[in-house]
Amino acid sequence: MTTSPPAKTEISRISAIGDGVRPPPGSTVWSAPISDVARLLSTDIEVGLSDSEVTGRRRRFGPNVLDVRPPVGAFEILVRQFRSVIILLLAGAFVVALIFGESLEAIAIVAVIVLNTAIGFVTELRAERSMEALLRLGSQSARAMRSGQVRIVPAEELVPGDVVTLEAGDVVPADLRILESSRLESDESVLTGESLPVSKAPKPVGVNSPIHERSSMLYKGAAVSRGTAKCVVFATGQATELGQIADLSRRARSESTPLERRLDRLGRRLVGLTVIIGVLIAVIGVATDKDLYLMLQTAVALAVAAIPEGLPIVATIALAAGVRRMARRNVLVNRLASVETLGSTHVIFTDKTGTLTENRMSVAEVVTAEGRVEADDFPDVQIDASLAGQDPFAGIALVSALCNDVVSGEDNGGGEPMERALFRWLDESGICPEDLRGDFPREGEEAFDPEVKMMATYHRLKHGYLMAIKGAPEEVIVSSTRVIAGGGPRTLDGEQREGWLDHSQRMGMSGQRVLAMAIKMIEDRPERDPYSGLDLLGLVGLYDPPREDVRSSLADCESAGLTVVMVTGDQPGTAASVAASVGLGNAGGRVVLGSEVSELPDALSGAPPHSDLLDVRIFARVSPREKLDLISMHQRAGRVVAMTGDGVNDAPALKKADIGIAMGARGTEVAKEAADVVLLDDAFTSIVEAIRQGRIIFDNIRTFVVYLMSCNLSEVLVVGVSTLAGGPLPILPLQILFLNLVTDVFPALALGVSPG
């Protein structure tokens, strides 16, 4: 669909950021027809914007970012250092010294204040800038149509008028008007508070529809929970609905971590205790005719001596140092408080692809009714629509190219690793996927459904449409009524289906991930029952080699008391083969299906956990609901659970787990936002390293807390016992300040940042 440029008055409505793009009077973006929206935005929805148009609009509208929390300035960090009970006590001691004319003590106290402030300022400034840099590593990307080509671009570079495509698992990068969709659902709880996903479609809605009823719109920050969509960007940055909410939250105070709150409570209790001790000592001293100034100063100095003033600062530095060490090992911590929980993890639920394996998937073999061939020996085939129904090899090549969301064969070309492997395999076999897509343009699709375990795309022919289908073998085979063999389709009976399922199981037992492919000729679309009456083409086996370093990491987990459980959507044979190759053991090598978990009577209740399943190390064909059941089962057993995930269906489990760990390389934006930790390299060894660092940080904090308390307690006891006994002061206030300066901050800091 090509639209003519809008009138000058319409273009003028594309105003400065903050005003957004204004539709004609009496209309809204969600109520206007798609053609009017395209004219308003001065965009061709089939070609997208040119690079020059994008540059001009980016200058006009600015970057597509939310100013949720501006960077903390150096002055604000400096002011924070004086918001401390400890500093107030030192300031009180300084005033007392000035009143009594003790200039040396006053200078010493000022020196302590300046030094403590400088240490806190420098370390907090470095921690703040480090966290800002880490957050920039997790930037979102989007698939935008630019000059007729789909490109993967940073989401902050989107401008009004950009045409973007979305699929399940994506976080909506801007406010969008839907142009096309397939089974589209969006989780808009971030905006509306509705916990259930809502259906979306291109059809306009009423002008006065509230935000939760605007089914023709997708809003920035929402998550695509199902289906696919093609949309046009209407508003970016602060002009989005989420941007308006962000304006309200900019001044909101950030919450401290649980550890910081516990340390703060400890500090306040110590303040109360030492103030009482100091007052008691001062009263006793005055009653025994000691110098009033000396006793007042001693009381204040004792209070300062008893309180580990470096405790909150060193704790924060320890956490920040641990976060930086994790970042160097490809672990991005989204929430500082997560570092505490990492150190106490008992169970790691991990997926298979890309975590235990190298995520370098490649086609290994193809099985059709004509026989089995290695991927390297794939025959030369002539591909057209008629031959796809006659030659199973031609059909498999066609489905591999058409039922595929990869933009290019590169790793940044979108799509899943499995789809990129199919793309590369065709290219290496001398078949150009792009040429096939040009000959059979996509005109619609049935988005992948986790319940159905299949996806399909529609392609126009001279008469009717070709449906290209791929999915789980057990689903595709059962849905097929015929099988394509040399010369045409043949009836597929029950015995033959069992034979195909046996082929699939054999391939899975060798460690392959198995896909079944099929086609279907239809007169019109969409089909009421798209997955019925399929023509089976055959099976494609893909192999992903296990990571070489996983076996040693699993051994480390075993020695450290960590239980590792594989939870995968693959078939049991594949799961068992990969587990055996990396040394993930099970009592008797047992593999439990996800359906067995959901059938347990206590799976969804608060009943005691099923002890038998607590010992299982391999779960296959697990659904999102069953992942939640497994997590709950281990949590009811008193275990701290870490869960890895990469898809939109993993988001509930990532939130449910005590520590959610998302895959940074292949993970969806929804998974990354739901997680506490993001692995930039998707490696299992990075998970183990993150937990190791969490334990090191916990040990460091415990070590320096014990150290600080023991040092300060010794000072209090020396002065307190001597005073109560009526003897002279063994340590003068100035000496106490000096001892605190020398023995507290720097040694505690060294203990807090120890690499372990």
Side-chain angles (χ1 to χ4, degrees):
M1 173 179 174
T2 304
T3 61
S4 57
K8 184 177 180 180
T9 55
E10 290 174 312
I11 296 177
S12 67
R13 293 193 180 99
I14 303 179
S15 53
I17 189 167
D19 294 331
V21 181
R22 298 184 183 279
S27 179
T28 59
V29 176
W30 51 90
S31 66
I34 291 173
S35 57
D36 289 352
V37 175
R39 283 196 298 271
L40 171 66
L41 293 166
S42 187
T43 190
D44 185 328
I45 61 176
E46 297 297 335
V47 178
L49 300 176
S50 66
D51 291 336
S52 59
E53 288 174 320
V54 170
T55 301
R57 295 189 187 196
R58 192 177 300 127
R59 282 198 298 265
R60 185 182 307 167
F61 290 94
N64 178 33
V65 295
L66 297 180
D67 192 15
V68 177
R69 193 200 76 172
V72 179
F75 180 74
E76 182 178 347
I77 294 176
L78 180 63
V79 171
R80 285 181 188 172
Q81 310 311 312
F82 296 95
R83 299 172 184 167
S84 166
V85 175
I86 307 303
I87 296 297
L88 293 178
L89 284 173
L90 287 172
F94 170 73
V95 171
V96 171
L98 287 181
I99 292 174
F100 285 88
E102 298 291 339
S103 57
L104 184 59
E105 281 81 356
I107 293 173
I109 293 172
V110 169
V112 171
I113 293 175
V114 170
L115 189 56
N116 276 351
T117 301
I119 294 172
F121 172 76
V122 171
T123 53
E124 189 171 346
L125 180 64
R126 289 184 59 188
E128 187 72 32
R129 296 298 178 257
S130 296
M131 290 302 295
E132 291 170 4
L134 290 177
L135 292 175
R136 287 194 293 271
L137 292 175
S139 60
Q140 183 183 351
S141 61
R143 294 178 293 278
M145 181 77 72
R146 299 277 172 83
S147 301
Q149 294 184 337
V150 178
R151 303 179 190 173
I152 309 297
V153 300
E156 58 265 24
E157 295 183 5
L158 293 177
V159 297
D162 259 327
V163 178
V164 300
T165 58
L166 299 170
E167 60 186 24
D170 289 340
V171 172
V172 180
D175 283 2
L176 311 174
R177 173 64 158 89
I178 301 171
L179 304 174
E180 301 174 8
S181 66
S182 170
R183 299 189 178 191
L184 184 63
E185 292 183 358
S186 173
D187 178 359
E188 297 184 338
S189 56
V190 67
L191 289 172
T192 65
E194 295 288 341
S195 59
L196 297 177
V198 293
S199 297
K200 297 287 184 174
K203 184 179 179 180
V205 296
V207 173
N208 298 319
S209 299
I211 188 171
H212 63 274
E213 294 180 3
R214 297 173 191 170
S215 58
S216 60
M217 297 287 292
L218 289 170
Y219 290 100
K220 183 177 178 67
V224 179
S225 54
R226 182 181 181 184
T228 58
K230 179 180 179 182
C231 310
V232 62
V233 176
F234 167 66
T236 58
Q238 292 300 116
T240 62
E241 291 288 339
L242 190 62
Q244 307 306 309
I245 298 174
D247 283 336
L248 301 177
S249 65
R250 286 180 62 184
R251 293 176 293 274
R253 296 180 61 185
S254 59
E255 292 291 330
S256 57
T257 71
L259 177 63
E260 289 170 334
R261 290 194 292 270
R262 289 196 295 269
L263 294 178
D264 183 65
R265 286 197 299 270
L266 173 62
R268 291 180 183 277
R269 289 171 181 170
L270 287 174
V271 166
L273 179 62
T274 52
V275 165
I276 293 174
I277 294 174
V279 170
L280 180 62
I281 289 176
V283 170
I284 294 174
V286 171
T288 54
D289 296 327
K290 287 189 170 59
D291 181 70
L292 175 62
Y293 164 69
L294 184 61
M295 295 314 301
L296 288 176
Q297 198 175 29
T298 300
V300 174
L302 269 178
V304 175
I307 300 170
E309 59 266 17
L311 189 58
I313 293 175
V314 176
T316 302
I317 293 171
L319 291 172
V323 168
R324 287 196 297 272
R325 285 198 297 269
M326 291 182 190
R328 289 195 292 269
R329 292 168 171 82
N330 297 310
V331 179
L332 172 62
V333 179
N334 286 340
R335 301 171 180 87
L336 197 62
S338 305
V339 179
E340 308 167 34
T341 315
L342 272 171
S344 54
T345 299
H346 299 117
V347 182
I348 306 173
F349 282 103
T350 177
D351 59 356
K352 175 182 67 66
T353 303
T355 309
L356 301 180
T357 62
E358 293 185 1
N359 202 24
R360 288 193 296 106
M361 199 170 287
S362 59
V363 177
E365 63 175 303
V366 177
V367 176
T368 72
E370 297 295 298
R372 170 189 173 276
V373 297
E374 299 287 341
D376 295 340
D377 298 328
F378 193 75
D380 294 331
V381 291
Q382 182 181 353
I383 302 174
D384 60 35
S386 61
L387 287 177
Q390 303 290 326
D391 184 345
F393 294 108
I396 284 177
L398 187 62
V399 173
S400 298
L402 301 183
C403 192
N404 193 319
D405 291 326
V406 172
V407 177
S408 70
E410 303 299 325
D411 287 342
N412 62 350
E416 298 180 347
M418 173 191 64
E419 293 182 328
R420 290 198 294 272
L422 292 172
F423 199 99
R424 288 193 302 270
W425 168 62
L426 291 177
D427 194 51
E428 293 167 359
S429 300
I431 301 170
C432 181
E434 295 293 352
D435 289 347
L436 293 178
R437 292 176 177 181
D439 295 337
F440 301 91
R442 183 186 294 194
E443 295 205 1
E445 69 177 277
E446 297 288 340
F448 179 79
D449 189 329
E451 299 297 326
V452 179
K453 296 186 176 67
M454 290 184 282
M455 72 168 289
T457 53
Y458 295 91
H459 307 269
R460 179 177 286 280
L461 305 175
K462 289 182 179 179
H463 304 288
Y465 291 86
L466 166 71
M467 278 185 66
I469 303 106
K470 74 173 188 290
E474 62 269 27
E475 301 297 336
V476 176
I477 293 170
V478 169
S479 300
S480 298
T481 57
R482 302 189 301 180
V483 58
I484 302 297
R490 302 173 186 171
T491 301
L492 187 65
D493 58 29
E495 184 178 347
Q496 290 173 328
R497 286 194 184 91
E498 289 298 325
W500 281 103
L501 291 172
D502 288 342
H503 275 303
S504 171
Q505 186 175 11
R506 175 191 60 79
M507 296 166 73
M509 291 300 292
S510 66
Q512 298 180 38
R513 181 174 182 178
V514 187
L515 274 178
M517 295 188 176
I519 59 171
K520 182 179 180 181
M521 302 295 181
I522 60 175
E523 294 182 359
D524 199 3
R525 73 175 184 90
E527 276 276 282
R528 178 176 298 179
D529 189 4
Y531 297 119
S532 65
L534 304 182
D535 290 342
L536 178 66
L537 292 166
L539 306 174
V540 177
L542 301 101
Y543 183 68
D544 188 7
R547 290 180 182 264
E548 295 181 357
D549 52 359
V550 168
R551 182 177 288 271
S552 61
S553 295
L554 289 173
D556 290 342
C557 290
E558 186 73 23
S559 62
L562 283 167
T563 300
V564 180
V565 180
M566 178 197 289
V567 181
T568 179
D570 260 338
Q571 50 194 353
T574 306
S577 176
V578 172
S581 65
V582 297
L584 180 59
N586 228 23
R590 180 185 176 192
V591 180
V592 174
L593 293 174
S595 57
E596 297 180 43
V597 178
S598 59
E599 291 170 359
L600 291 175
D602 66 340
L604 299 177
S605 70
H610 198 283
S611 58
D612 183 34
L613 291 185
L614 289 176
D615 297 328
V616 174
R617 298 292 178 266
I618 310 170
F619 292 89
R621 289 299 191 213
V622 180
S623 71
R625 173 72 260 179
E626 291 151 2
K627 288 183 181 180
L628 293 177
D629 296 341
L630 285 171
I631 292 172
S632 298
M633 182 175 64
H634 280 268
Q635 288 176 331
R636 292 201 304 273
R639 300 177 177 179
V640 177
V641 179
M643 175 77 197
T644 71
D646 58 3
V648 61
N649 295 312
D650 294 325
L654 292 173
K655 292 181 179 179
K656 172 69 174 174
D658 299 285
I659 286 289
I661 304 173
M663 304 296 110
R666 71 178 191 277
T668 61
E669 299 297 334
V670 171
K672 294 176 190 176
E673 292 208 353
D676 306 290
V677 174
V678 177
L679 302 183
L680 300 181
D681 60 357
D682 292 6
F684 181 80
T685 52
S686 296
I687 302 175
V688 178
E689 184 59 36
I691 294 175
R692 177 183 286 114
Q693 291 298 324
R695 292 188 175 186
I696 289 172
I697 291 168
F698 246 177
D699 286 342
N700 288 347
I701 291 175
R702 181 173 56 188
T703 300
F704 74 67
V705 166
V706 172
Y707 167 76
L708 288 174
M709 296 300 295
S710 61
C711 287
N712 292 7
L713 181 62
S714 64
E715 294 174 352
V716 172
L717 289 175
V718 167
V719 175
V721 171
S722 175
T723 303
L724 291 174
L729 287 176
I731 310 175
L732 296 177
L734 188 60
Q735 293 172 326
I736 292 175
L737 291 172
F738 177 76
L739 286 174
N740 283 350
L741 179 64
V742 173
T743 63
D744 274 12
V745 178
F746 293 109
L749 185 60
L751 292 172
V753 298
S754 170

